[in-house]
Amino acid sequence: MDVDQEKSQTCCPVARGLAKVGDAWSMLILRDLSLGLSRFEELRTSLGIAPNILTARLRALGEAGLVAKRRYSERPPRDEYVLTDAGRDFLPVLHVIGEWGRRHNGEGGTSRLVDTETEALVEPMVIDRVSGRPLTEMKLRLALPDDPLVSGAPGKRSWLLD
């Protein structure tokens, strides 16, 4: 992937995530798999990607645990590619990236997500699972791994009494 392996060892979850899917081809492959394309030639045609690049990206996505190869024909041997649980968990990230792209670079029209049950257009956004509040409305800070909020360890006590 485009983000080097050193970044995957950092405590930053963004760097770790980008180490797994940090290039546009990989994200577009995940998008196409989510839309039901599963065979190498379908993906190559849809993306207009060179076969060697597609092969490398599919291998990397497999090693990252986002895509699995599944045999659908023994004679001749043929494989298809499917999303794993980790790959499916990444889809909302893609949807939010797509919504950002539509809102800030959507001149000339873009495709949209539609809820298949209601046929209503979907406007993806990121919310805090605990409070239900949109992250764009919250003031945020990063807590490092040793922060008691993250580690669950009791807070450091001061020798001074309040």
Side-chain angles (χ1 to χ4, degrees):
M1 300 290 151
D2 290 345
V3 179
D4 57 39
Q5 280 307 105
E6 187 177 307
K7 298 270 191 286
S8 69
Q9 304 306 315
T10 178
C11 69
C12 177
V14 173
R16 286 184 180 194
L18 288 173
K20 302 291 184 186
V21 291
D23 66 73
W25 283 126
S26 295
M27 288 189 241
L28 292 172
I29 290 166
L30 293 171
R31 178 206 61 194
D32 279 7
L33 290 172
S34 78
L35 295 173
L37 301 179
S38 63
R39 298 184 179 170
F40 187 91
E41 195 57 31
E42 291 174 329
L43 294 166
R44 191 193 65 70
T45 300
S46 171
L47 296 167
I49 188 174
N52 61 321
I53 295 173
L54 179 56
T55 298
R57 293 307 191 273
L58 285 168
R59 184 181 313 110
L61 287 167
E63 290 169 0
L66 296 157
V67 171
K69 189 190 293 192
R70 183 170 61 195
R71 177 84 15 122
Y72 70 87
S73 173
E74 290 298 328
R75 291 180 69 99
R78 299 272 188 244
D79 297 317
E80 64 183 353
Y81 299 88
V82 295
L83 294 170
T84 63
D85 287 343
R88 283 186 295 279
D89 284 349
F90 188 74
L91 296 179
V93 175
L94 283 179
H95 299 324
V96 170
I97 291 170
E99 180 64 11
W100 178 86
R102 184 188 72 76
R103 293 175 92 201
H104 297 285
N105 196 24
E107 301 80 23
T110 61
S111 55
R112 298 284 303 272
L113 290 174
V114 177
D115 181 334
T116 59
E117 289 182 21
T118 65
E119 288 299 308
L121 291 174
V122 174
E123 293 187 21
M125 64 181 291
V126 180
I127 63 165
D128 171 44
R129 184 185 308 246
V130 175
S131 69
R133 292 174 48 208
L135 264 55
T136 56
E137 296 175 3
M138 300 170 74
K139 288 186 122 179
L140 304 172
R141 72 172 177 86
L142 285 178
L144 296 176
D146 61 349
D147 184 308
L149 285 171
V150 177
S151 68
K156 294 179 183 172
R157 297 196 57 159
S158 170
W159 60 270
L160 296 174
L161 299 176
D162 293 318

